[in-house]
Amino acid sequence: MSNKRRFTRLAATVAGIALLSTVLSAQAREYSVSTVLSDAFPWGQAAEKWAELVKERSGGRITLRVYPNSQLVSGDQTREFSAMRSGLIDMAVGSTINWSPQVPELNLFSLPFLMPDTKAVDAITGGKAGEMVFKAIESRGVVPLAWGENGFREISNSRKPITKPEDLAGLKIRVVGSPLFQDTFEALGANPTQMSWTDAKPALTTGAVDGQENPLSVFDVARIDQAGQRYLTMWHYMNDPLIFAVNQRVWKTLPKEDQELLRQAAIDAGKWEIELSRQQEAERANTIKARGVEVVELTDAQRQAFIEATRKVHQKWTPRIGAELVKAAREAIEQR
Ligand code: X2X
C-alpha cells in the first residue's frame, strides 16, 4: 500500500471515530435519580426541577427520571448512597443524614444545635467546610454537584408539649437510621427507635412510637397531625442539607459539556428549592397550628438546656467526623 493510500485509510478511520462519538453524544440518554420524598415535598420538587432544567438545556437529549419514595432501594433510604456508588442508581438528590453511615463526615450536619440559623447553614455549605464535605463524598466514589435543603428538623409527639429535656424522658421517638441520632435522643433521656421513613408513618399511626423529628414541610405535607402528633416543638436542632450527586463511572462517560450542563442545572435547581422551602416555612407553621397542633417556640434559655444536655454528643462524634472539618464549620458559623 502506498503511503498516500495508507494515509487516506487512516484519515477515514479517524473521521469514522469522530462521527461515531458525535452520534453517541447526540444520542438520547436516560438516567435514574433517587429521592426519598416525592414531588409533593420540596425535596422531590428539587429533583424534578433538576430534570426539567437538564431536559430543556440539552434540547431533550438527556432525561433524568426521578424515582421517589426510596423505591430503588426498596424503601431502605440508608442504602441509597451505596446503591449510587455501585451504579445501581445513576444519580440522587439525597439527605446528609441518610448518606452519613457511608460518609461519616456528613454527620457534621446532625451535630445537635450546631447551626443556629439558615445563615449558619449557608456559611458551612458555601465555604471551606462545604468543600471538605464534597471532597469526602468524592473520595467514596460519588461526584457531588450541588446543595439543596430538607430543612430544620423540629420534634413532635402525641403525649405532651416539650419545653425541656426532662419532657422527653421515656418517650419513644422514631429517628432516622443514623447512630448519631440514637446518641442525641439517649442523651436527652428519650427512647429512640431507628426506622425508615416508609415505616415511620404507620408506627406513628398505631402508636408504636410516640414521636418523630422532621422539617415542617414533611410534617405539613405528610399530614403527620393525622397520625396523632398533637405537639410540635420548634427547637431547630439540626438542618438537613440535600446533595445532588452522580455515580462516578456515569460521570466519566459524559462529555465535558454535559458534565457542566448537569452541574449548573443542579446548582440552579438547588438554589431554587432552598429559597422555595425557606419561604414556605412561616406559612407552614400557621397551617399546622390551624389544624389544632400545639406549637411550642422555645425561649433562648429553654433552648440552652437542650444544648447543654447534648454536649457530650459533640465530644463523641467530633473525632469521627474529623476535628478539622468541625473546626472549619464552627469558624464559618462564627464569621457568618
Ligand atoms: O426519614 C426522614 O425523616 C426524612 C424523610 O426526613 C429523611 O429522609 C432524612
Side-chain angles (χ1 to χ4, degrees):
M1 211 190 300
S2 74
N3 270 349
K4 196 175 168 197
R5 277 181 101 182
R6 214 174 263 141
F7 179 75
T8 315
R9 250 197 201 182
L10 182 68
T13 312
V14 169
I17 290 170
L19 180 70
L20 187 69
S21 71
T22 312
V23 169
L24 275 181
S25 69
Q27 212 176 41
R29 276 167 306 187
E30 182 174 314
Y31 300 100
S32 58
V33 180
S34 171
T35 64
V36 175
L37 299 178
S38 76
D39 62 2
F41 302 82
W43 184 339
Q45 286 158 20
E48 289 296 350
K49 187 69 170 181
W50 189 22
E52 185 188 310
L53 294 176
V54 166
K55 186 171 185 181
E56 199 180 287
R57 295 175 187 178
S58 70
R61 222 169 14 90
I62 307 176
T63 302
L64 305 188
R65 189 164 306 282
V66 182
Y67 293 87
N69 306 318
S70 327
Q71 59 185 284
L72 298 176
V73 282
S74 312
D76 189 353
Q77 65 211 54
T78 51
R79 279 180 35 224
E80 188 181 62
F81 188 86
S82 310
M84 178 168 43
R85 178 170 49 196
S86 71
L88 215 60
I89 293 173
D90 298 322
M91 305 181 188
V93 179
S95 138
T96 57
I97 307 172
N98 296 332
W99 294 358
S100 64
Q102 290 84 34
V103 188
E105 290 84 350
L106 290 176
N107 283 295
L108 172 72
F109 300 98
S110 304
L111 284 176
F113 305 101
L114 172 72
M115 299 174 285
D117 48 35
T118 51
K119 274 201 178 138
V121 181
D122 296 343
I124 294 179
T125 57
K128 183 178 153 207
E131 279 171 25
M132 290 168 84
V133 168
F134 269 20
K135 278 215 180 85
I137 293 173
E138 191 132 26
S139 75
R140 291 181 181 83
V142 165
V143 183
L145 302 182
W147 300 93
E149 184 162 279
N150 191 20
F152 274 102
R153 298 177 77 90
E154 318 295 0
I155 186 153
S156 73
N157 82 100
S158 58
R159 306 221 169 229
K160 58 182 166 204
I162 295 171
T163 58
K164 52 188 183 304
E166 295 73 35
D167 295 329
L168 274 157
L171 284 190
K172 243 186 152 174
I173 308 290
R174 174 269 169 174
V175 293
V176 197
S178 146
L180 191 154
F181 283 74
Q182 195 78 23
D183 289 344
T184 298
F185 284 86
E186 276 171 9
L188 291 167
N191 180 4
T193 316
Q194 296 183 29
M195 66 181 80
S196 69
W197 174 243
T198 315
D199 294 334
K201 206 168 171 193
L204 291 164
T205 307
T206 60
V209 293
D210 303 310
Q212 63 89 44
E213 47 74 56
N214 248 304
L216 289 188
S217 63
V218 179
F219 191 95
D220 174 18
V221 178
R223 293 305 306 264
I224 298 294
D225 59 303
Q226 290 178 335
Q229 297 289 288
R230 294 180 45 216
Y231 306 98
L232 180 71
T233 295
M234 306 275 281
W235 65 349
H236 319 310
Y237 86 123
M238 71 152 293
N239 187 307
D240 176 24
L242 299 174
I243 297 172
F244 294 67
V246 183
N247 163 282
Q248 213 162 55
R249 282 186 300 277
V250 168
W251 186 251
K252 284 184 186 148
T253 62
L254 293 168
K256 270 267 169 312
E257 30 331 334
D258 286 350
Q259 290 181 345
E260 248 349 278
L261 190 157
L262 271 169
R263 188 194 303 279
Q264 195 54 50
I267 292 171
D268 296 343
K271 277 202 186 123
W272 172 85
E273 184 263 345
I274 290 171
E275 205 168 298
L276 173 85
S277 70
R278 287 180 186 176
Q279 267 171 9
Q280 291 172 341
E281 283 290 277
E283 194 49 42
R284 293 207 193 269
N286 290 333
T287 308
I288 291 165
K289 277 182 208 157
R291 290 180 184 147
V293 175
E294 195 177 320
V295 178
V296 176
E297 296 265 4
L298 295 181
T299 63
D300 286 348
Q302 284 173 328
R303 198 162 179 272
Q304 194 58 35
F306 286 96
I307 294 174
E308 268 146 36
T310 51
R311 251 191 235 295
K312 60 182 178 202
V313 180
H314 286 239
Q315 281 150 17
K316 177 172 170 184
W317 281 85
T318 295
R320 298 184 186 188
I321 294 164
E324 275 293 298
L325 174 56
V326 176
K327 186 164 163 263
R330 287 196 192 284
E331 281 169 5
I333 295 170
E334 269 160 36
Q335 291 157 15
R336 77 191 185 280

